[in-house]
Amino acid sequence: EKRWLRNHLLSLKTLSLVVLSVQTSTMVLLLRYSRTTSTHQPYIITTAVLMSELLKLALSLCFLHLDSGKIMRVTLKRLYEDVLLNAWETLKLAIPAFLYVVQNNLLFIALSNLDAATYQVTYQLKILTTAIFSWVMLGKRLAPIHWLSLCLLMLGVSLVQVDGGNANRSTSKILPEVEAMEGADPSLLGGAEGGEAGEGGGEVHPPDAHNAAHPNTEVRRLLGILAVFVSCISSGFSGVYFERLVKKGKQTSLIIRNIQLGVFSIAFAVMAVSGDSRAIRENGFFQGYSLATWLVVLIQAFGGLMVSVTMKYADNILKGFATSLSIVMSSLVSWLALGDAAPTIQFVIGASIVISSTFLYGVTPQRESEIRESTHHA
Ligand code: C5P
């Protein structure tokens, strides 16, 4: 029986990692497409984040209902007892909920300013932050090979980052579209645009706005990178925090944990939306929504739930490993289908180092003990 359970857990683990990898690539590309290829006014980022949080909670409630044998009385009783009466346990989720809402908004900002490949490779730094938080908060010991792969990871990310040419070309290519967004989404530029445009002397948008030399290109790139760096810290901390709650501590089910998280996430997402109240009053909550926007909302919600499954059955570091696979997929599609700049040699070398280092990290003796740990908890 133990062997069956072990195999069952292993396949759940592998399946969740593969699904997450495909989900991540689709999400990154669709999000970037939805922000850069819009023919009309851009949608408001905070509303999209709120919609995906609402969808996630609705789905989690459906799962709870199914898990309760579709008996409404049982579902309501569990909600009352596990979420409301268990107020202290519920309250613990306020911290990751806040960070995730910030992080999910940053994701949109990052992908409005960076090409898909640069975003994904840089975001791999979250493996480093996750490892540090896993060490500090879960007491996970890192073997020398782990540290070696983390150093390689840093090297690879730096190579991709130094390769400014690649990103400049691709960011400047979307410049006119991104500039069209400024009115509705000032957070995109952090106010840096105004001054420079003024100095430019009644700047219009001539064809040579596509030149890599455009100063705003650097500002956008910097803003995008900053958004990714903050996300790496938030992702590492929240991921380990959530993993700790579903693996150790009080044995509350994953569905209940997601509902507890969802309640706070919605509250924080509503606060974020209220920051855009003027634009919403003027042009409506769903202004600029296209089919791509709805798909992004849907895939983002589905991805969030997938992430929680990988945290329960695999772990956060392996989750990073899965997303690094998706880098290859989305870079290729982004280049071939979305017209982002072709990767330079330096980018390819840097990305290869990032991916190999993640593989190196994935193949570790630690895996055995983690499997035993999950089997024990199941
Ligand atoms: O990049 P990272 O793995 O940190 O992304 C985490 C994503 O998963 C966020 O969008 C977050 O909202 C979502 N999530 C979730 N439910 C959880 C844990 C994370 O929806 N239990």
mmCIF file of all heavy atoms in Angstrom, residues 20 24 27 49 52-53 56 93 96-97 99-101 103-104 107 119 123 126 130 231-232 234-236 238-239 242 246 254 257-259 261-262 265 300-311 316 319-320 323, ligand 1:
data_model
loop_
_atom_site.group_PDB
_atom_site.id
_atom_site.type_symbol
_atom_site.label_atom_id
_atom_site.label_comp_id
_atom_site.label_asym_id
_atom_site.label_seq_id
_atom_site.Cartn_x
_atom_site.Cartn_y
_atom_site.Cartn_z
ATOM 1 N N LEU A 20 2.086 22.944 -14.705
ATOM 2 C CA LEU A 20 2.504 24.291 -14.311
ATOM 3 C C LEU A 20 3.442 24.901 -15.352
ATOM 4 O O LEU A 20 3.367 26.090 -15.660
ATOM 5 C CB LEU A 20 3.196 24.251 -12.942
ATOM 6 C CG LEU A 20 3.509 25.622 -12.386
ATOM 7 C CD1 LEU A 20 2.237 26.352 -12.013
ATOM 8 C CD2 LEU A 20 4.410 25.525 -11.170
ATOM 9 N N THR A 24 2.581 28.254 -17.304
ATOM 10 C CA THR A 24 3.409 29.455 -17.171
ATOM 11 C C THR A 24 3.734 30.053 -18.533
ATOM 12 O O THR A 24 3.622 31.270 -18.722
ATOM 13 C CB THR A 24 4.727 29.125 -16.424
ATOM 14 O OG1 THR A 24 4.388 28.480 -15.207
ATOM 15 C CG2 THR A 24 5.515 30.373 -16.117
ATOM 16 N N MET A 27 0.650 31.640 -20.085
ATOM 17 C CA MET A 27 0.286 32.837 -19.334
ATOM 18 C C MET A 27 1.177 34.034 -19.712
ATOM 19 O O MET A 27 0.695 35.117 -20.016
ATOM 20 C CB MET A 27 0.461 32.495 -17.846
ATOM 21 C CG MET A 27 0.360 33.646 -16.925
ATOM 22 S SD MET A 27 -1.333 34.192 -16.833
ATOM 23 C CE MET A 27 -1.085 35.727 -16.027
ATOM 24 N N VAL A 49 -6.477 41.623 -12.006
ATOM 25 C CA VAL A 49 -6.004 40.857 -10.840
ATOM 26 C C VAL A 49 -7.191 40.505 -9.947
ATOM 27 O O VAL A 49 -7.334 39.354 -9.501
ATOM 28 C CB VAL A 49 -4.940 41.651 -10.054
ATOM 29 C CG1 VAL A 49 -4.584 40.956 -8.750
ATOM 30 C CG2 VAL A 49 -3.688 41.839 -10.903
ATOM 31 N N SER A 52 -9.244 37.646 -11.418
ATOM 32 C CA SER A 52 -8.671 36.299 -11.293
ATOM 33 C C SER A 52 -8.728 35.823 -9.839
ATOM 34 O O SER A 52 -8.912 34.635 -9.585
ATOM 35 C CB SER A 52 -7.265 36.234 -11.883
ATOM 36 O OG SER A 52 -6.331 36.672 -10.972
ATOM 37 N N GLU A 53 -8.635 36.747 -8.881
ATOM 38 C CA GLU A 53 -8.774 36.344 -7.474
ATOM 39 C C GLU A 53 -10.205 35.861 -7.202
ATOM 40 O O GLU A 53 -10.406 34.872 -6.490
ATOM 41 C CB GLU A 53 -8.425 37.506 -6.528
ATOM 42 C CG GLU A 53 -6.949 37.932 -6.525
ATOM 43 C CD GLU A 53 -5.985 36.812 -6.146
ATOM 44 O OE1 GLU A 53 -6.403 35.831 -5.506
ATOM 45 O OE2 GLU A 53 -4.792 36.906 -6.524
ATOM 46 N N LYS A 56 -10.629 32.434 -8.676
ATOM 47 C CA LYS A 56 -9.940 31.406 -7.872
ATOM 48 C C LYS A 56 -10.780 31.016 -6.657
ATOM 49 O O LYS A 56 -10.915 29.836 -6.348
ATOM 50 C CB LYS A 56 -8.591 31.957 -7.382
ATOM 51 C CG LYS A 56 -7.417 31.414 -8.147
ATOM 52 C CD LYS A 56 -6.109 31.766 -7.495
ATOM 53 C CE LYS A 56 -5.827 33.240 -7.509
ATOM 54 N NZ LYS A 56 -4.446 33.607 -7.205
ATOM 55 N N LEU A 93 -3.170 33.769 6.770
ATOM 56 C CA LEU A 93 -3.071 33.863 5.313
ATOM 57 C C LEU A 93 -3.080 35.301 4.819
ATOM 58 O O LEU A 93 -2.882 35.552 3.630
ATOM 59 C CB LEU A 93 -4.211 33.076 4.662
ATOM 60 C CG LEU A 93 -4.021 31.576 4.430
ATOM 61 C CD1 LEU A 93 -2.857 31.334 3.501
ATOM 62 C CD2 LEU A 93 -3.796 30.790 5.704
ATOM 63 N N PRO A 96 0.601 36.239 3.114
ATOM 64 C CA PRO A 96 0.853 35.899 1.706
ATOM 65 C C PRO A 96 -0.186 36.507 0.767
ATOM 66 O O PRO A 96 0.140 36.821 -0.373
ATOM 67 C CB PRO A 96 0.800 34.369 1.681
ATOM 68 C CG PRO A 96 0.109 33.964 2.917
ATOM 69 C CD PRO A 96 0.384 35.027 3.933
ATOM 70 N N ALA A 97 -1.424 36.679 1.257
ATOM 71 C CA ALA A 97 -2.457 37.259 0.377
ATOM 72 C C ALA A 97 -2.050 38.663 -0.048
ATOM 73 O O ALA A 97 -2.122 39.008 -1.230
ATOM 74 C CB ALA A 97 -3.799 37.291 1.103
ATOM 75 N N LEU A 99 1.012 39.936 -0.135
ATOM 76 C CA LEU A 99 2.186 39.875 -1.022
ATOM 77 C C LEU A 99 1.806 39.381 -2.418
ATOM 78 O O LEU A 99 2.303 39.901 -3.425
ATOM 79 C CB LEU A 99 3.257 38.974 -0.405
ATOM 80 C CG LEU A 99 3.917 39.545 0.860
ATOM 81 C CD1 LEU A 99 4.839 38.526 1.494
ATOM 82 C CD2 LEU A 99 4.700 40.814 0.516
ATOM 83 N N TYR A 100 0.937 38.370 -2.482
ATOM 84 C CA TYR A 100 0.558 37.844 -3.795
ATOM 85 C C TYR A 100 -0.210 38.876 -4.625
ATOM 86 O O TYR A 100 -0.049 38.932 -5.843
ATOM 87 C CB TYR A 100 -0.261 36.561 -3.651
ATOM 88 C CG TYR A 100 0.587 35.311 -3.495
ATOM 89 C CD1 TYR A 100 0.216 34.291 -2.634
ATOM 90 C CD2 TYR A 100 1.760 35.140 -4.234
ATOM 91 C CE1 TYR A 100 0.987 33.139 -2.486
ATOM 92 C CE2 TYR A 100 2.537 34.001 -4.095
ATOM 93 C CZ TYR A 100 2.150 33.002 -3.227
ATOM 94 O OH TYR A 100 2.917 31.881 -3.097
ATOM 95 N N VAL A 101 -1.057 39.669 -3.952
ATOM 96 C CA VAL A 101 -1.804 40.677 -4.721
ATOM 97 C C VAL A 101 -0.835 41.718 -5.294
ATOM 98 O O VAL A 101 -0.919 42.092 -6.464
ATOM 99 C CB VAL A 101 -2.909 41.332 -3.860
ATOM 100 C CG1 VAL A 101 -3.468 42.564 -4.555
ATOM 101 C CG2 VAL A 101 -4.031 40.331 -3.608
ATOM 102 N N GLN A 103 2.341 41.163 -5.897
ATOM 103 C CA GLN A 103 3.132 40.431 -6.897
ATOM 104 C C GLN A 103 2.359 40.237 -8.201
ATOM 105 O O GLN A 103 2.918 40.366 -9.294
ATOM 106 C CB GLN A 103 3.500 39.080 -6.293
ATOM 107 C CG GLN A 103 4.370 38.211 -7.157
ATOM 108 C CD GLN A 103 4.575 36.852 -6.506
ATOM 109 O OE1 GLN A 103 4.702 36.756 -5.295
ATOM 110 N NE2 GLN A 103 4.596 35.811 -7.298
ATOM 111 N N ASN A 104 1.073 39.931 -8.109
ATOM 112 C CA ASN A 104 0.282 39.708 -9.319
ATOM 113 C C ASN A 104 0.104 41.004 -10.108
ATOM 114 O O ASN A 104 0.066 40.988 -11.334
ATOM 115 C CB ASN A 104 -1.073 39.085 -8.978
ATOM 116 C CG ASN A 104 -0.918 37.645 -8.506
ATOM 117 O OD1 ASN A 104 0.097 37.005 -8.763
ATOM 118 N ND2 ASN A 104 -1.905 37.143 -7.795
ATOM 119 N N LEU A 107 3.402 41.586 -11.873
ATOM 120 C CA LEU A 107 3.567 40.703 -13.029
ATOM 121 C C LEU A 107 3.080 41.390 -14.310
ATOM 122 O O LEU A 107 3.738 41.349 -15.350
ATOM 123 C CB LEU A 107 2.769 39.414 -12.785
ATOM 124 C CG LEU A 107 2.479 38.518 -13.966
ATOM 125 C CD1 LEU A 107 3.717 37.714 -14.320
ATOM 126 C CD2 LEU A 107 1.335 37.557 -13.666
ATOM 127 N N TYR A 119 11.873 38.642 -19.097
ATOM 128 C CA TYR A 119 11.058 38.513 -17.882
ATOM 129 C C TYR A 119 11.264 37.140 -17.254
ATOM 130 O O TYR A 119 11.559 37.022 -16.070
ATOM 131 C CB TYR A 119 9.570 38.712 -18.217
ATOM 132 C CG TYR A 119 8.667 38.183 -17.151
ATOM 133 C CD1 TYR A 119 8.454 38.915 -15.982
ATOM 134 C CD2 TYR A 119 8.070 36.929 -17.260
ATOM 135 C CE1 TYR A 119 7.661 38.407 -14.960
ATOM 136 C CE2 TYR A 119 7.282 36.418 -16.253
ATOM 137 C CZ TYR A 119 7.082 37.154 -15.109
ATOM 138 O OH TYR A 119 6.308 36.638 -14.101
ATOM 139 N N TYR A 123 13.162 36.273 -13.756
ATOM 140 C CA TYR A 123 12.286 35.803 -12.682
ATOM 141 C C TYR A 123 12.796 34.498 -12.064
ATOM 142 O O TYR A 123 12.392 34.108 -10.970
ATOM 143 C CB TYR A 123 10.857 35.641 -13.222
ATOM 144 C CG TYR A 123 9.798 35.541 -12.153
ATOM 145 C CD1 TYR A 123 9.942 36.179 -10.917
ATOM 146 C CD2 TYR A 123 8.639 34.796 -12.340
ATOM 147 C CE1 TYR A 123 8.978 36.094 -9.933
ATOM 148 C CE2 TYR A 123 7.662 34.705 -11.364
ATOM 149 C CZ TYR A 123 7.839 35.357 -10.167
ATOM 150 O OH TYR A 123 6.874 35.260 -9.194
ATOM 151 N N LYS A 126 13.980 33.880 -8.489
ATOM 152 C CA LYS A 126 13.125 33.514 -7.361
ATOM 153 C C LYS A 126 13.540 32.156 -6.791
ATOM 154 O O LYS A 126 13.227 31.846 -5.651
ATOM 155 C CB LYS A 126 11.655 33.528 -7.754
ATOM 156 C CG LYS A 126 11.202 32.360 -8.572
ATOM 157 C CD LYS A 126 9.721 32.437 -8.855
ATOM 158 C CE LYS A 126 9.351 31.382 -9.877
ATOM 159 N NZ LYS A 126 7.950 31.414 -10.230
ATOM 160 N N THR A 130 13.798 31.683 -2.968
ATOM 161 C CA THR A 130 13.045 30.563 -2.388
ATOM 162 C C THR A 130 13.966 29.663 -1.571
ATOM 163 O O THR A 130 13.611 29.225 -0.479
ATOM 164 C CB THR A 130 12.366 29.741 -3.503
ATOM 165 O OG1 THR A 130 11.570 30.622 -4.291
ATOM 166 C CG2 THR A 130 11.492 28.651 -2.938
ATOM 167 N N SER A 231 9.129 40.978 -7.124
ATOM 168 C CA SER A 231 8.334 39.752 -7.208
ATOM 169 C C SER A 231 9.121 38.535 -6.727
ATOM 170 O O SER A 231 8.564 37.632 -6.123
ATOM 171 C CB SER A 231 7.895 39.488 -8.646
ATOM 172 O OG SER A 231 7.067 40.516 -9.084
ATOM 173 N N CYS A 232 10.421 38.510 -7.018
ATOM 174 C CA CYS A 232 11.247 37.374 -6.605
ATOM 175 C C CYS A 232 11.257 37.246 -5.085
ATOM 176 O O CYS A 232 11.149 36.144 -4.543
ATOM 177 C CB CYS A 232 12.685 37.544 -7.095
ATOM 178 S SG CYS A 232 12.852 37.244 -8.845
ATOM 179 N N SER A 234 8.991 38.512 -2.969
ATOM 180 C CA SER A 234 7.637 38.180 -2.535
ATOM 181 C C SER A 234 7.316 36.708 -2.819
ATOM 182 O O SER A 234 6.790 35.998 -1.961
ATOM 183 C CB SER A 234 6.650 39.091 -3.257
ATOM 184 O OG SER A 234 5.391 38.513 -3.301
ATOM 185 N N SER A 235 7.685 36.250 -4.010
ATOM 186 C CA SER A 235 7.392 34.872 -4.400
ATOM 187 C C SER A 235 8.095 33.881 -3.475
ATOM 188 O O SER A 235 7.494 32.902 -3.023
ATOM 189 C CB SER A 235 7.836 34.648 -5.840
ATOM 190 O OG SER A 235 7.817 33.291 -6.159
ATOM 191 N N GLY A 236 9.370 34.146 -3.186
ATOM 192 C CA GLY A 236 10.147 33.256 -2.320
ATOM 193 C C GLY A 236 9.532 33.170 -0.937
ATOM 194 O O GLY A 236 9.277 32.077 -0.420
ATOM 195 N N SER A 238 6.407 34.174 0.196
ATOM 196 C CA SER A 238 5.019 33.686 0.260
ATOM 197 C C SER A 238 4.944 32.199 -0.050
ATOM 198 O O SER A 238 4.173 31.472 0.571
ATOM 199 C CB SER A 238 4.136 34.417 -0.744
ATOM 200 O OG SER A 238 4.348 35.775 -0.668
ATOM 201 N N GLY A 239 5.736 31.759 -1.027
ATOM 202 C CA GLY A 239 5.718 30.350 -1.398
ATOM 203 C C GLY A 239 6.105 29.465 -0.229
ATOM 204 O O GLY A 239 5.408 28.501 0.098
ATOM 205 N N PHE A 242 3.459 29.533 2.511
ATOM 206 C CA PHE A 242 2.288 28.707 2.198
ATOM 207 C C PHE A 242 2.644 27.221 2.285
ATOM 208 O O PHE A 242 1.882 26.419 2.816
ATOM 209 C CB PHE A 242 1.754 29.061 0.805
ATOM 210 C CG PHE A 242 0.392 28.472 0.529
ATOM 211 C CD1 PHE A 242 -0.762 29.127 0.925
ATOM 212 C CD2 PHE A 242 0.264 27.247 -0.118
ATOM 213 C CE1 PHE A 242 -2.024 28.579 0.695
ATOM 214 C CE2 PHE A 242 -0.982 26.691 -0.364
ATOM 215 C CZ PHE A 242 -2.127 27.354 0.044
ATOM 216 N N VAL A 246 0.779 24.240 4.480
ATOM 217 C CA VAL A 246 0.101 23.032 3.989
ATOM 218 C C VAL A 246 0.870 21.748 4.290
ATOM 219 O O VAL A 246 0.301 20.670 4.208
ATOM 220 C CB VAL A 246 -0.232 23.075 2.467
ATOM 221 C CG1 VAL A 246 -1.339 24.053 2.189
ATOM 222 C CG2 VAL A 246 0.980 23.375 1.630
ATOM 223 N N LEU A 254 -5.802 21.590 1.731
ATOM 224 C CA LEU A 254 -5.334 22.567 0.741
ATOM 225 C C LEU A 254 -6.492 23.451 0.266
ATOM 226 O O LEU A 254 -6.325 24.662 0.093
ATOM 227 C CB LEU A 254 -4.718 21.812 -0.442
ATOM 228 C CG LEU A 254 -4.112 22.663 -1.542
ATOM 229 C CD1 LEU A 254 -2.956 23.490 -1.021
ATOM 230 C CD2 LEU A 254 -3.639 21.795 -2.704
ATOM 231 N N ARG A 257 -7.184 26.034 2.833
ATOM 232 C CA ARG A 257 -6.092 27.029 2.836
ATOM 233 C C ARG A 257 -6.279 28.019 1.682
ATOM 234 O O ARG A 257 -6.075 29.209 1.828
ATOM 235 C CB ARG A 257 -4.729 26.329 2.711
ATOM 236 C CG ARG A 257 -4.245 25.670 3.985
ATOM 237 C CD ARG A 257 -4.005 26.681 5.061
ATOM 238 N NE ARG A 257 -3.434 26.106 6.277
ATOM 239 C CZ ARG A 257 -3.581 26.645 7.474
ATOM 240 N NH1 ARG A 257 -4.296 27.747 7.623
ATOM 241 N NH2 ARG A 257 -3.022 26.105 8.531
ATOM 242 N N ASN A 258 -6.662 27.486 0.508
ATOM 243 C CA ASN A 258 -6.860 28.364 -0.650
ATOM 244 C C ASN A 258 -8.044 29.305 -0.443
ATOM 245 O O ASN A 258 -8.015 30.450 -0.900
ATOM 246 C CB ASN A 258 -7.057 27.535 -1.921
ATOM 247 C CG ASN A 258 -5.726 27.089 -2.506
ATOM 248 O OD1 ASN A 258 -4.696 27.710 -2.237
ATOM 249 N ND2 ASN A 258 -5.723 26.015 -3.267
ATOM 250 N N ILE A 259 -9.080 28.804 0.248
ATOM 251 C CA ILE A 259 -10.231 29.678 0.518
ATOM 252 C C ILE A 259 -9.819 30.771 1.509
ATOM 253 O O ILE A 259 -10.129 31.952 1.321
ATOM 254 C CB ILE A 259 -11.431 28.859 1.046
ATOM 255 C CG1 ILE A 259 -11.947 27.954 -0.080
ATOM 256 C CG2 ILE A 259 -12.544 29.786 1.551
ATOM 257 C CD1 ILE A 259 -13.033 26.990 0.326
ATOM 258 N N LEU A 261 -6.875 31.960 1.928
ATOM 259 C CA LEU A 261 -6.018 32.900 1.199
ATOM 260 C C LEU A 261 -6.866 33.807 0.305
ATOM 261 O O LEU A 261 -6.649 35.018 0.234
ATOM 262 C CB LEU A 261 -5.011 32.117 0.344
ATOM 263 C CG LEU A 261 -4.006 32.923 -0.459
ATOM 264 C CD1 LEU A 261 -2.927 33.506 0.446
ATOM 265 C CD2 LEU A 261 -3.319 32.059 -1.528
ATOM 266 N N GLY A 262 -7.857 33.193 -0.354
ATOM 267 C CA GLY A 262 -8.699 33.919 -1.311
ATOM 268 C C GLY A 262 -9.482 35.059 -0.680
ATOM 269 O O GLY A 262 -9.604 36.131 -1.273
ATOM 270 N N SER A 265 -7.084 37.828 -0.220
ATOM 271 C CA SER A 265 -6.605 38.316 -1.525
ATOM 272 C C SER A 265 -7.636 39.233 -2.152
ATOM 273 O O SER A 265 -7.292 40.277 -2.717
ATOM 274 C CB SER A 265 -6.343 37.154 -2.477
ATOM 275 O OG SER A 265 -5.387 36.295 -1.927
ATOM 276 N N GLN A 300 -4.521 32.753 -15.306
ATOM 277 C CA GLN A 300 -3.879 33.205 -14.073
ATOM 278 C C GLN A 300 -4.536 32.523 -12.872
ATOM 279 O O GLN A 300 -3.859 32.075 -11.950
ATOM 280 C CB GLN A 300 -3.976 34.737 -13.978
ATOM 281 C CG GLN A 300 -3.637 35.336 -12.636
ATOM 282 C CD GLN A 300 -2.136 35.434 -12.408
ATOM 283 O OE1 GLN A 300 -1.350 34.801 -13.105
ATOM 284 N NE2 GLN A 300 -1.744 36.201 -11.421
ATOM 285 N N ALA A 301 -5.875 32.426 -12.898
ATOM 286 C CA ALA A 301 -6.602 31.790 -11.793
ATOM 287 C C ALA A 301 -6.268 30.299 -11.742
ATOM 288 O O ALA A 301 -5.925 29.761 -10.683
ATOM 289 C CB ALA A 301 -8.095 31.984 -11.980
ATOM 290 N N PHE A 302 -6.318 29.664 -12.874
ATOM 291 C CA PHE A 302 -6.009 28.235 -12.946
ATOM 292 C C PHE A 302 -4.564 27.999 -12.480
ATOM 293 O O PHE A 302 -4.279 27.073 -11.723
ATOM 294 C CB PHE A 302 -6.221 27.773 -14.390
ATOM 295 C CG PHE A 302 -5.726 26.393 -14.677
ATOM 296 C CD1 PHE A 302 -6.415 25.293 -14.200
ATOM 297 C CD2 PHE A 302 -4.560 26.198 -15.412
ATOM 298 C CE1 PHE A 302 -5.948 24.008 -14.450
ATOM 299 C CE2 PHE A 302 -4.090 24.922 -15.674
ATOM 300 C CZ PHE A 302 -4.784 23.828 -15.187
ATOM 301 N N GLY A 303 -3.652 28.867 -12.929
ATOM 302 C CA GLY A 303 -2.238 28.733 -12.561
ATOM 303 C C GLY A 303 -2.034 28.868 -11.063
ATOM 304 O O GLY A 303 -1.245 28.121 -10.478
ATOM 305 N N GLY A 304 -2.751 29.808 -10.438
ATOM 306 C CA GLY A 304 -2.617 29.993 -8.993
ATOM 307 C C GLY A 304 -2.967 28.712 -8.251
ATOM 308 O O GLY A 304 -2.264 28.293 -7.327
ATOM 309 N N LEU A 305 -4.053 28.063 -8.692
ATOM 310 C CA LEU A 305 -4.470 26.827 -8.031
ATOM 311 C C LEU A 305 -3.446 25.714 -8.286
ATOM 312 O O LEU A 305 -3.130 24.919 -7.405
ATOM 313 C CB LEU A 305 -5.864 26.405 -8.514
ATOM 314 C CG LEU A 305 -6.974 27.401 -8.136
ATOM 315 C CD1 LEU A 305 -8.319 26.979 -8.726
ATOM 316 C CD2 LEU A 305 -7.095 27.546 -6.622
ATOM 317 N N MET A 306 -2.894 25.700 -9.513
ATOM 318 C CA MET A 306 -1.849 24.708 -9.834
ATOM 319 C C MET A 306 -0.628 24.905 -8.937
ATOM 320 O O MET A 306 -0.023 23.951 -8.463
ATOM 321 C CB MET A 306 -1.397 24.892 -11.286
ATOM 322 C CG MET A 306 -1.961 23.988 -12.344
ATOM 323 S SD MET A 306 -2.709 22.507 -11.797
ATOM 324 C CE MET A 306 -1.292 21.494 -11.533
ATOM 325 N N VAL A 307 -0.277 26.187 -8.727
ATOM 326 C CA VAL A 307 0.867 26.504 -7.875
ATOM 327 C C VAL A 307 0.657 25.916 -6.479
ATOM 328 O O VAL A 307 1.549 25.294 -5.897
ATOM 329 C CB VAL A 307 1.069 28.041 -7.793
ATOM 330 C CG1 VAL A 307 1.913 28.428 -6.598
ATOM 331 C CG2 VAL A 307 1.725 28.559 -9.063
ATOM 332 N N SER A 308 -0.568 26.062 -5.963
ATOM 333 C CA SER A 308 -0.816 25.550 -4.616
ATOM 334 C C SER A 308 -0.686 24.025 -4.588
ATOM 335 O O SER A 308 -0.203 23.457 -3.612
ATOM 336 C CB SER A 308 -2.182 26.011 -4.103
ATOM 337 O OG SER A 308 -3.220 25.364 -4.792
ATOM 338 N N VAL A 309 -1.090 23.356 -5.678
ATOM 339 C CA VAL A 309 -0.954 21.898 -5.732
ATOM 340 C C VAL A 309 0.522 21.493 -5.745
ATOM 341 O O VAL A 309 0.930 20.568 -5.039
ATOM 342 C CB VAL A 309 -1.695 21.325 -6.979
ATOM 343 C CG1 VAL A 309 -1.432 19.841 -7.137
ATOM 344 C CG2 VAL A 309 -3.184 21.577 -6.861
ATOM 345 N N THR A 310 1.348 22.218 -6.522
ATOM 346 C CA THR A 310 2.773 21.859 -6.555
ATOM 347 C C THR A 310 3.431 22.105 -5.198
ATOM 348 O O THR A 310 4.352 21.399 -4.816
ATOM 349 C CB THR A 310 3.580 22.640 -7.611
ATOM 350 O OG1 THR A 310 3.309 24.011 -7.455
ATOM 351 C CG2 THR A 310 3.270 22.220 -9.009
ATOM 352 N N MET A 311 2.956 23.123 -4.483
ATOM 353 C CA MET A 311 3.547 23.378 -3.169
ATOM 354 C C MET A 311 3.236 22.240 -2.208
ATOM 355 O O MET A 311 4.029 21.896 -1.350
ATOM 356 C CB MET A 311 3.003 24.678 -2.593
ATOM 357 C CG MET A 311 3.596 25.904 -3.229
ATOM 358 S SD MET A 311 2.837 27.324 -2.502
ATOM 359 C CE MET A 311 3.424 28.594 -3.591
ATOM 360 N N ASN A 316 8.490 24.219 -3.476
ATOM 361 C CA ASN A 316 8.697 25.497 -4.155
ATOM 362 C C ASN A 316 9.914 25.513 -5.064
ATOM 363 O O ASN A 316 9.911 26.156 -6.108
ATOM 364 C CB ASN A 316 8.839 26.595 -3.119
ATOM 365 C CG ASN A 316 7.497 27.153 -2.744
ATOM 366 O OD1 ASN A 316 6.851 27.789 -3.571
ATOM 367 N ND2 ASN A 316 7.052 26.881 -1.539
ATOM 368 N N LYS A 319 9.198 23.706 -8.095
ATOM 369 C CA LYS A 319 8.274 24.542 -8.860
ATOM 370 C C LYS A 319 9.071 25.495 -9.764
ATOM 371 O O LYS A 319 8.740 25.702 -10.923
ATOM 372 C CB LYS A 319 7.391 25.335 -7.889
ATOM 373 C CG LYS A 319 6.421 26.276 -8.547
ATOM 374 C CD LYS A 319 5.358 26.718 -7.552
ATOM 375 C CE LYS A 319 5.855 27.722 -6.537
ATOM 376 N NZ LYS A 319 6.338 28.989 -7.098
ATOM 377 N N GLY A 320 10.156 26.038 -9.228
ATOM 378 C CA GLY A 320 11.036 26.901 -10.019
ATOM 379 C C GLY A 320 11.643 26.130 -11.176
ATOM 380 O O GLY A 320 11.793 26.644 -12.285
ATOM 381 N N THR A 323 9.174 25.904 -13.975
ATOM 382 C CA THR A 323 9.000 27.131 -14.760
ATOM 383 C C THR A 323 10.206 27.401 -15.648
ATOM 384 O O THR A 323 10.082 28.055 -16.673
ATOM 385 C CB THR A 323 8.733 28.352 -13.859
ATOM 386 O OG1 THR A 323 9.536 28.264 -12.710
ATOM 387 C CG2 THR A 323 7.289 28.428 -13.459
HETATM 388 O O1 C5P B 1 5.659 32.952 -9.356
HETATM 389 P P1 C5P B 1 5.041 32.341 -8.186
HETATM 390 O O2 C5P B 1 5.130 30.867 -8.169
HETATM 391 O O3 C5P B 1 5.417 32.968 -6.891
HETATM 392 O O4 C5P B 1 3.488 32.677 -8.382
HETATM 393 C C1 C5P B 1 2.578 32.390 -7.439
HETATM 394 C C2 C5P B 1 1.193 32.581 -8.025
HETATM 395 O O5 C5P B 1 0.312 31.614 -7.502
HETATM 396 C C3 C5P B 1 0.572 33.926 -7.678
HETATM 397 O O6 C5P B 1 -0.154 34.361 -8.793
HETATM 398 C C4 C5P B 1 -0.387 33.584 -6.544
HETATM 399 O O7 C5P B 1 -1.486 34.453 -6.521
HETATM 400 C C5 C5P B 1 -0.791 32.180 -6.874
HETATM 401 N N1 C5P B 1 -1.115 31.349 -5.711
HETATM 402 C C6 C5P B 1 -2.424 30.985 -5.489
HETATM 403 N N2 C5P B 1 -2.747 30.169 -4.444
HETATM 404 C C7 C5P B 1 -1.787 29.712 -3.616
HETATM 405 C C8 C5P B 1 -0.444 30.066 -3.818
HETATM 406 C C9 C5P B 1 -0.136 30.897 -4.889
HETATM 407 O O8 C5P B 1 -3.300 31.399 -6.241
HETATM 408 N N3 C5P B 1 -2.137 28.913 -2.626
#
